[in-house]
Amino acid sequence: MAIQLFVPNFRVEECLAEIRECLEKGWTGLGFKTVEIETAWKEYTQLPHAHFLNSNTVGLHLAFELFKSKFGWNDDDEVITTPLTFVSTNHAILYAGLKPVFADVDDYLCLDPDSVIKRITPRTKALIFVGIGGNSGQYEKILEICRARNIKLVLDAAHMSGTRVGGKHIGNDADVTVFSFQAVKNLPTADSGMICFKEADDDERVRKLTWLGINKDTYARTASQSAYKWMYDVEEVGYKYHGNSIMAAIALVQLKYLDIDNAYRRQLATWYGQNLKDRNNVAVVQTAQGCESAQHLLQIRVQNRDALMIALNEHDIFPGVHYRDNTDYRMYAFAQGTCPNAAGASKEIISLPMHLRMTKSDVDRISELVVKYAQ
Ligand SMILES: *Cc1c(COP(=O)(O)O)cnc(C)c1O
């Protein structure tokens, strides 16, 4: 039996029941279930604000755009970022007309505070931290660096739904935290996400920005009846980025199972860790102290990555790579050679299969093959 990297686990009957409610009511768009998931997410994470989106990518774009106009940043002001991420992280900086400045990663594959400090200039306005695989890495140190210099901290928490540090859900101290509920993330829908600002006025503004810049507030207050529904103001050029009730219906069900799903992911990681520890040719990427990771990924490093991938494929096992050093992409080649740790990791990392249909014997079988073929 083939073992894939990711297989989302949907509670099909429960999801269908929630979706059925939308269809029967005749309400599949913005509102209704999108409000319910925002409330449920705030309750789950204890973050003060949450706005449901059609993806994480659009949320990252809005985070930079909103802060840029709010604080009067200029075009090409700088955002410190990581080369080891999905391109959404870095594209979002460019969408807002800002300049990505790549800092290097540490052994957690997250931004390295020492490298970050070296990249700070008078034009540095923000930093985006990616918790790879659910790991918080040296997030606390990065947070201190940003606080001390008034650098806005954007947390790309695409892998961090359910990650806790010191018992608290990640994200409560960032200026904005953006989650992904994309099809293969820990809280899978099909495509959706959540943007959680620290400040209430940012939350209020982002709700307008995700709906073309439309502001219904003034009229909603004065018009008690729906006669004035059409009578809204458009205050700025916004986007069509909000989430819908069908995605929210799925998210509401999946959220109920997020903690037990993540606990099983950590169990899989523990089994991998036991099987692969003290092996000469294999290093398991460690989780930071005090971090209860959502364990989106289980990453290892080996010297013969490409050969090992092929060997595993021949045994019907299909791992992944998270990620290729983004400065190897033509789009970001201007920064090539600036992040040696990321470049090195990019050649060595493999994400082993990690999903809820896997058993201990799957982990044992994969581990045996890794040990056999790693050089
Ligand atoms: C998946 C992912 C995104 C994008 O999420 P979408 O919801 O698909 O837009 C951004 N950053 C990272 C690190 C991701 O893994």
Side-chain angles (χ1 to χ4, degrees):
M1 261 279 281
I3 305 177
Q4 304 297 332
L5 172 64
F6 297 135
V7 181
N9 184 27
F10 292 107
R11 278 70 184 188
V12 175
E13 292 310 317
E14 283 183 69
C15 287
L16 289 176
E18 284 278 335
I19 292 170
R20 173 178 289 277
E21 251 191 81
C22 299
L23 300 179
E24 284 177 350
K25 190 182 172 79
W27 194 314
T28 53
L30 174 66
F32 186 38
K33 296 280 179 196
T34 67
V35 180
E36 281 183 39
I37 188 64
E38 288 173 355
T39 305
W41 190 249
K42 283 187 284 187
E43 198 169 304
Y44 174 77
T45 59
Q46 293 294 304
L47 299 180
H49 308 286
H51 181 46
F52 190 58
L53 304 170
N54 62 32
S55 74
N56 159 296
T57 305
V58 302
L60 297 177
H61 171 203
L62 289 175
F64 289 118
E65 180 149 323
L66 187 150
F67 285 151
K68 187 186 184 198
S69 62
K70 179 177 180 179
F71 299 113
W73 299 345
N74 295 309
D75 282 347
D76 289 330
D77 273 349
E78 297 169 2
V79 180
I80 295 176
T81 183
T82 172
L84 225 56
T85 186
F86 187 57
V87 286
S88 292
T89 313
N90 292 317
H91 281 10
I93 300 167
L94 295 176
Y95 293 157
L98 299 165
K99 184 180 164 196
V101 173
F102 292 93
D104 213 347
V105 299
D106 57 17
D107 290 344
Y108 302 115
L109 307 177
C110 297
L111 277 179
D112 178 358
D114 294 332
S115 175
V116 163
I117 284 179
K118 290 187 193 132
R119 299 295 196 271
I120 294 172
T121 76
R123 301 202 72 165
T124 307
K125 298 296 193 281
L127 175 148
I128 184 161
F129 187 91
V130 181
I132 289 278
N135 200 346
S136 60
Q138 300 192 67
Y139 173 77
E140 306 285 331
K141 277 196 186 159
I142 300 278
L143 180 67
E144 271 175 42
I145 292 168
C146 291
R147 285 256 172 87
R149 292 164 182 79
N150 194 26
I151 294 169
K152 293 291 152 194
L153 178 58
V154 178
L155 180 59
D156 178 350
H159 301 178
M160 302 184 103
S161 293
T163 287
R164 292 184 180 83
V165 177
K168 272 171 92 172
H169 198 284
I170 197 85
N172 53 80
D173 37 23
D175 293 288
V176 60
T177 302
V178 187
F179 297 92
S180 173
F181 305 148
Q182 185 267 346
V184 300
K185 298 289 158 72
N186 288 41
L187 195 162
T189 59
D191 268 309
S192 59
M194 196 74 86
I195 189 163
C196 302
F197 279 99
K198 189 157 77 178
E199 304 294 342
D201 59 330
D202 296 337
D203 179 71
E204 203 176 304
R205 176 147 176 244
V206 84
R207 288 167 190 277
K208 291 172 206 157
L209 281 174
T210 58
W211 194 36
L212 290 315
I214 291 172
N215 181 3
K216 272 193 164 179
D217 298 355
T218 35
Y219 302 98
R221 259 184 267 119
T222 51
S224 54
Q225 291 305 316
S226 56
Y228 287 94
K229 257 192 173 164
W230 51 273
M231 186 78 156
Y232 51 72
D233 196 6
V234 182
E235 300 179 327
E236 57 184 320
V237 181
Y239 303 89
K240 188 68 168 56
Y241 280 178
H242 62 76
N244 66 63
S245 286
I246 300 292
M247 290 302 116
I250 300 174
L252 280 163
V253 174
Q254 297 297 119
L255 176 57
K256 285 196 258 173
Y257 297 95
L258 182 59
D259 280 342
I260 51 169
D261 286 357
N262 286 350
Y264 191 64
R265 288 170 179 275
R266 286 191 293 274
Q267 175 63 259
L268 293 171
T270 301
W271 288 329
Y272 273 124
Q274 286 162 354
N275 291 343
L276 298 175
K277 85 164 184 280
D278 303 329
R279 301 288 179 172
N280 282 335
N281 304 321
V282 185
V284 179
V285 175
Q286 298 297 307
T287 301
Q289 277 289 324
C291 172
E292 187 180 74
S293 172
Q295 205 75 57
H296 178 59
L297 302 174
L298 187 289
Q299 293 175 287
I300 61 167
R301 295 177 71 151
V302 293
Q303 293 301 313
N304 61 330
R305 195 265 313 278
D306 296 349
L308 176 56
M309 292 282 275
I310 290 167
L312 292 172
N313 288 352
E314 279 166 1
H315 287 84
D316 265 356
I317 292 161
F318 300 97
V321 172
H322 299 88
Y323 292 86
R324 253 188 98 190
D325 177 352
N326 283 195
T327 68
D328 282 344
Y329 299 140
R330 199 176 314 167
M331 266 309 304
Y332 297 103
F334 61 85
Q336 211 164 35
T338 59
C339 301
N341 293 343
S346 178
K347 294 188 180 70
E348 296 178 5
I349 47 182
I350 299 187
S351 304
L352 296 177
M354 167 60 70
H355 60 78
L356 303 164
R357 296 186 192 177
M358 289 177 60
T359 61
K360 175 148 196 308
S361 71
D362 292 330
V363 172
D364 291 345
R365 188 176 136 222
I366 295 165
S367 304
E368 254 172 56
L369 292 167
V370 167
V371 168
K372 181 170 171 195
Y373 292 107
Q375 275 169 17

